Amino acid sequence: MVGGKTYVKIPTMLYFMGKQKGKATPSTPVTVTGFKDLPNFGDRFVEVADEKTARKMALLNAQAQQDEMASANVTSSDLLRMMNVADNSKVLNVIIKGDVLGSVTSVVDSLKMIDTKGEITLNIVSTGVGDINENDVYMAAGGNTVIYGFNVSVPINISKMAARDNVPVRLYKVIYELLDDAKTEMENLLDAEIIEEDKGEMKVLGVFRTEKTSIIGGGEVLNGDVRTGYLARVIRNKEYLGEAEVTSVQKEKMDVDSLVAGETGGLALKTTSKIDLQIGDRLKFFVRETKKRTL
């Protein structure tokens, strides 16, 4: 019988009252002993013809579980890179109104000169001469569009209409201020830059408890330091197994602020999915922060 990544040639099978049972029919609760390892909760049990088939199926199940864990441990950096590939061009929609045609042309030409590094697309929805009107608000509503007015005004009823429809209307008399506002809008569309800084490395010398979302272990700090709040990549023979967060640091069974190179101690780690930490694995510590990008 195969159960997840383990199997058994059933030596005994007990009925729920502790009596021997030679055969279990559907919906019959039984206790089976003799598994090579403990199955996981939720594993399905499959009866197979021989031990060779059982061993092969258990190995395939174990590989499938390992692949699933690897795919689940995607870092935020990986996610950001995937998002950027899928959406490498963001759009700023604008409507330009000016007092005269020359003003409108000057604003449009200046907006197009803003260097967006190919990441932002400027979409001129509409241009026109005169005050902001009802038609401008209609065109902007629901389209994430900013209305820029240069040396023009907004009638009170149009201002109320724009507020009701959540349409931003910005009025300027100095073209550089208008351009600065548009540049800020473009920068708000940029994905934040993720910065990572390496902090230290530990060799795992003991694993005391492994659960679905937490690990208790210990080891020796090889270089740098380790502190609560650091992130850690779990590495085994150059293979990335997952990412965890350090939630506490201990030395001689007492909580401490940090461990430095040459010291040994214990760690509590928080994970998003189960990581099978083992003696000899390496924990590579780092910090990650996001930084707003500018043009």
Side-chain angles (χ1 to χ4, degrees):
M1 176 184 290
V2 179
K5 60 182 181 180
T6 186
Y7 67 94
V8 61
K9 184 175 182 181
I10 303 174
T12 60
M13 184 164 60
L14 303 177
Y15 193 46
F16 74 95
M17 295 181 68
K19 296 180 179 180
Q20 288 278 352
K21 193 167 182 68
K23 181 179 181 181
T25 55
S27 300
T28 303
V30 293
T31 299
V32 177
T33 62
F35 278 97
K36 304 287 184 183
D37 298 294
L38 281 177
N40 294 321
F41 287 108
D43 283 345
R44 292 181 176 273
F45 296 94
V46 180
E47 184 177 356
V48 295
D50 51 55
E51 186 174 353
K52 182 179 179 181
T53 305
R55 187 184 301 112
K56 182 178 180 181
M57 183 178 293
L59 288 172
L60 290 173
N61 289 344
Q63 184 61 52
Q65 289 182 16
Q66 183 176 349
D67 293 343
E68 184 179 353
M69 284 196 301
S71 64
N73 282 285
V74 180
T75 67
S76 55
S77 299
D78 297 329
L79 289 174
L80 182 61
R81 283 191 287 270
M82 289 187 285
M83 288 165 59
N84 285 341
V85 170
D87 182 18
N88 57 9
S89 178
K90 304 187 185 304
V91 180
L92 175 63
N93 298 307
V94 297
I95 292 174
I96 309 297
K97 298 297 291 288
D99 54 344
V100 295
L101 182 59
S103 297
V104 174
T105 302
S106 179
V107 169
V108 171
D109 290 345
S110 298
L111 285 173
K112 290 181 178 178
M113 291 179 65
I114 296 176
D115 184 10
T116 66
K117 301 177 175 62
E119 295 186 60
I120 306 296
T121 299
L122 176 67
N123 178 34
I124 308 295
V125 176
S126 173
T127 61
V129 175
D131 291 341
I132 312 298
N133 57 42
E134 186 176 356
N135 188 54
D136 298 326
V137 177
Y138 277 140
M139 283 192 294
N144 296 320
T145 301
V146 180
I147 299 177
Y148 284 113
F150 186 69
N151 286 330
V152 297
S153 60
V154 186
I156 294 177
N157 63 317
I158 301 301
S159 180
K160 291 180 178 179
M161 178 182 175
R164 181 197 68 198
D165 294 342
N166 295 316
V167 173
V169 178
R170 282 92 181 259
L171 303 180
Y172 292 96
K173 293 184 178 297
V174 179
I175 190 169
Y176 296 110
E177 293 177 355
L178 186 154
L179 297 177
D180 285 343
D181 186 280
K183 187 176 180 180
T184 299
E185 286 291 326
M186 293 179 184
E187 289 174 342
N188 290 338
L189 294 174
L190 293 172
D191 292 312
E193 180 182 6
I194 293 182
I195 301 173
E196 295 183 352
E197 180 183 356
D198 293 336
K199 289 296 184 179
E201 183 176 356
M202 171 182 278
K203 181 178 180 180
V204 178
L205 301 178
V207 180
F208 311 118
R209 188 173 69 203
T210 300
E211 297 180 353
K212 186 175 182 181
T213 58
S214 65
I215 300 172
I216 305 294
E220 178 186 1
V221 180
L222 302 178
N223 57 71
D225 70 338
V226 53
R227 296 174 181 269
T228 300
Y230 280 4
L231 299 175
R233 292 189 179 91
V234 183
I235 307 296
R236 180 178 303 152
N237 298 324
K238 299 183 179 181
E239 179 185 359
Y240 169 79
L241 298 182
E243 186 175 298
E245 179 184 354
V246 180
T247 55
S248 72
V249 181
Q250 289 192 341
K251 182 179 180 181
E252 297 176 353
K253 298 183 179 181
M254 296 186 64
D255 290 338
V256 293
D257 293 331
S258 66
L259 294 172
V260 298
E263 292 185 322
T264 59
L267 300 179
L269 302 171
K270 180 174 69 174
T271 65
T272 56
S273 61
K274 189 173 183 179
I275 299 176
D276 182 26
L277 187 68
Q278 296 181 9
I279 294 174
D281 290 347
R282 300 294 177 99
L283 298 176
K284 296 191 175 183
F285 304 105
F286 65 99
V287 293
R288 177 186 294 138
E289 63 177 355
T290 58
K291 180 182 178 181
K292 183 177 179 180
R293 296 168 60 201
T294 58
L295 293 173

